[in-house]
Amino acid sequence: MPTVKIRASTILGEFEKAQTELVDKAVVLTDGICGTVDKIWLDELHGLRISIRGHDGKWPVSTVKFSQKG
């Protein structure tokens, strides 16, 4: 498989893994916002971003300070 296809498959695999680990999990962000992860996106400028149910906006996944175990 060409290198580009291997990289794309790796990125998509990691994205699916992140969805499984984050969506519907409770999180606390570094700015104190807390709630349940609703969706995640890949953003060309910021990388992985998340939305929190009940809060307007999208945050970089790097702002997750604590997440629910489970």
Side-chain angles (χ1 to χ4, degrees):
M1 185 182 301
T3 304
V4 172
K5 287 185 179 182
I6 292 171
R7 287 182 182 155
S9 293
T10 301
I11 290 167
L12 291 174
E14 290 299 317
F15 180 75
E16 288 178 15
K17 186 177 175 183
Q19 279 184 309
T20 300
E21 291 178 7
L22 290 172
V23 173
D24 294 327
K25 299 293 193 285
V27 295
V28 177
L29 305 181
T30 54
D31 62 2
I33 292 174
C34 59
T36 304
V37 176
D38 187 36
K39 295 179 184 176
I40 66 171
W41 292 267
L42 284 174
D43 179 315
E44 63 188 34
L45 297 175
H46 302 98
L48 196 60
R49 294 177 69 82
I50 61 172
S51 67
I52 306 294
R53 284 188 194 120
H55 297 280
D56 292 331
K58 298 176 185 173
W59 292 269
V61 73
S62 62
T63 61
V64 173
K65 189 172 181 182
F66 299 107
S67 65
Q68 170 188 351
K69 303 288 184 199

